[in-house]
Amino acid sequence: MSRVVVAFSLAVMMSCAGHEQSIVDPAGPQAGKIAALWWFFLFLLSAIFVAVMVFMLWTLTRRHREVEREKTVESEHKPPEATESKLKRVVTGCTIATVAILFVLIVASVGTGKAVSELGNGKKRLIVEVTGNQWWWQFRYMNSDPSQILLTANEIHIPVGQPVLIRGMSNDVIHSFWVPNLHGKRDLIPSRTTTEYIQADQSGVYRGQCAEFCGLQHAHMSFYVIAEPEERFNAWMASQLQPAAPSSDPVLQHGQQAFLSYECVYCHQIRGTTAAGQNAPDLTHFGSRRSIAAGTLPNNLGNLTGWLVNPQRIKPGNHMATIAVNSQDLQPLAEYLESLK
Ligand code: CUA
């Protein structure tokens, strides 16, 4: 009973919050079908709840009168014939109604699942491989031409109105890929590949979140899906495929030298430099992303400097080593990373 009330108030709060991370603010066909199913369940089950409560109140107020009337028969611990047959009819009717309602819910649920899984089938589409890591997301845009394969992290761009095939994998434990405005949850399981389509019909920024408890920083494992018109998406793709541009600015050159001389290169890659680590997010266009540490903080110079000084303080337990960065190198290093647009 209280669950329904909580769910309803949550839904109202979420639908009032605008274009926030929400299942009741669908921005694509899959999420639209899931939201419709959710509302159907909510209204049907709320109606049943109200009916049960009304019936209960009615019987409570009626009982006294009945007991008075049936006094003589009550001594035999047996209701009169007429009451007994009425009771049988009511119980049979309620059982049939319950089974029928459960059947309707199952049909609606299975039907939605089937419809959602079929969306996007057979169309020309973009394929993005998602790999869950403790606690960040690697995204790889697949292409038959290896020079057009793009590696990025914690943020994807997709063209509006087109299905995108998400191929999900995990590097360590079970994670779950979930963009509530676009689709339901999809588990990422080690040594298995799962697939689903997502599609956004409206431009916008949609926040996604890991939906399976995966360790200490599970709550700080989010990402952004940026849906934009096709031309803008193509321009983004073209710029992301470029290696990092060399700079003539002495501060940025200093920063790059610092990056390449510290342990950063063992884990991170910056295309266009000698840094080719594969254990952590690709940083080639780090400065173009909205957040650092998988949605933990907005991406700006101040937050990045704090992160470089002590990543364990901001996201305890994360796998980035705390590197003793020389105080003269810190500012140029942060500025260099931010310049990687
Ligand atoms: Cu990854 Cu929770």
Side-chain angles (χ1 to χ4, degrees):
M1 153 181 160
S2 57
R3 264 193 216 160
V4 176
V5 177
V6 170
F8 186 75
S9 23
L10 267 177
V12 171
M13 270 158 52
M14 289 190 293
S15 58
C16 294
H19 227 42
E20 293 294 309
Q21 176 179 313
S22 164
I23 66 146
V24 288
D25 180 18
Q30 286 91 346
K33 287 193 183 303
I34 293 169
L37 180 70
W38 193 85
W39 286 113
F40 174 66
F41 266 63
L42 181 71
F43 286 122
L44 181 61
L45 300 180
S46 302
I48 293 169
F49 172 74
V50 169
V52 168
M53 288 299 121
V54 167
F55 187 70
M56 190 182 76
L57 289 174
W58 180 66
T59 50
L60 283 177
T61 55
R62 236 177 77 94
R63 196 178 181 284
H64 187 68
R65 189 157 48 89
E66 291 288 309
V67 168
E68 289 289 299
R69 198 144 51 90
E70 289 167 8
K71 221 169 217 166
T72 47
V73 203
E74 206 179 13
S75 55
E76 297 161 25
H77 297 288
K78 200 167 182 280
E81 201 73 11
T83 313
E84 181 138 331
S85 75
K86 197 170 130 193
L87 213 61
K88 259 186 199 161
R89 282 201 305 277
V90 170
V91 170
T92 312
C94 287
T95 310
I96 292 172
T98 308
V99 171
I101 290 166
L102 287 175
F103 189 70
V104 167
L105 293 177
I106 290 172
V107 168
S109 173
V110 171
T112 302
K114 191 164 179 292
V116 161
S117 67
E118 280 168 357
L119 283 168
N121 271 354
K123 287 192 192 165
K124 167 188 165 277
R125 73 256 165 164
L126 193 65
I127 302 173
V128 182
E129 265 184 23
V130 181
T131 308
N133 296 274
Q134 282 178 321
W135 290 278
W136 62 281
W137 306 86
Q138 185 183 67
F139 295 106
R140 191 192 300 271
Y141 286 75
M142 303 310 288
N143 202 298
S144 48
D145 175 359
S147 72
Q148 300 297 302
I149 292 177
L150 171 67
L151 193 64
T152 183
N154 301 329
E155 187 171 306
I156 52 171
H157 288 231
I158 60 170
V160 164
Q162 291 181 27
V164 177
L165 179 65
I166 300 286
R167 253 191 225 150
M169 283 160 277
S170 169
N171 244 344
D172 34 48
V173 299
I174 300 177
H175 301 274
S176 187
F177 181 85
W178 189 33
V179 193
N181 302 71
L182 300 181
H183 208 315
K185 300 168 182 175
R186 180 67 53 159
D187 278 2
L188 308 182
I189 300 163
S191 76
R192 251 184 78 176
T193 304
T194 52
T195 55
E196 69 172 9
Y197 287 95
I198 57 168
Q199 181 174 327
D201 287 338
Q202 302 161 30
S203 298
V205 179
Y206 305 104
R207 188 176 180 275
Q209 169 70 47
C210 179
E212 180 77 44
F213 181 71
C214 56
L216 194 56
Q217 290 298 336
H218 158 68
H220 287 145
M221 187 171 169
S222 57
F223 59 99
Y224 290 96
V225 176
I226 293 134
E228 53 198 5
E230 193 166 8
E231 320 81 73
R232 278 185 60 190
F233 168 75
N234 290 339
W236 174 83
M237 191 69 161
S239 88
Q240 294 278 315
L241 282 166
Q242 297 298 314
S247 171
S248 55
D249 183 321
V251 176
L252 301 183
Q253 284 178 344
H254 176 176
Q256 188 187 55
Q257 274 316 308
F259 185 87
L260 298 176
S261 63
Y262 286 107
E263 294 90 324
C264 318
V265 292
Y266 297 137
C267 296
H268 292 284
Q269 164 170 266
I270 296 181
R271 283 175 281 124
T273 73
T274 53
Q278 297 291 322
N279 302 319
D282 180 296
L283 300 179
T284 311
H285 296 283
F286 169 79
S288 70
R289 296 183 201 146
R290 315 184 139 244
S291 74
I292 58 177
T296 306
L297 291 170
N299 187 4
N300 59 44
L301 197 58
N303 286 340
L304 178 63
T305 310
W307 174 260
L308 292 172
V309 170
N310 192 350
Q312 293 303 324
R313 186 170 184 144
I314 291 169
K315 193 168 170 177
N318 85 79
H319 297 328
M320 176 156 153
T322 300
I323 294 166
V325 180
N326 198 311
S327 60
Q328 296 99 291
D329 293 336
L330 187 61
Q331 197 65 13
L333 179 58
E335 283 189 32
Y336 166 64
L337 291 170
E338 289 295 344
S339 77
L340 300 172
K341 296 290 184 192

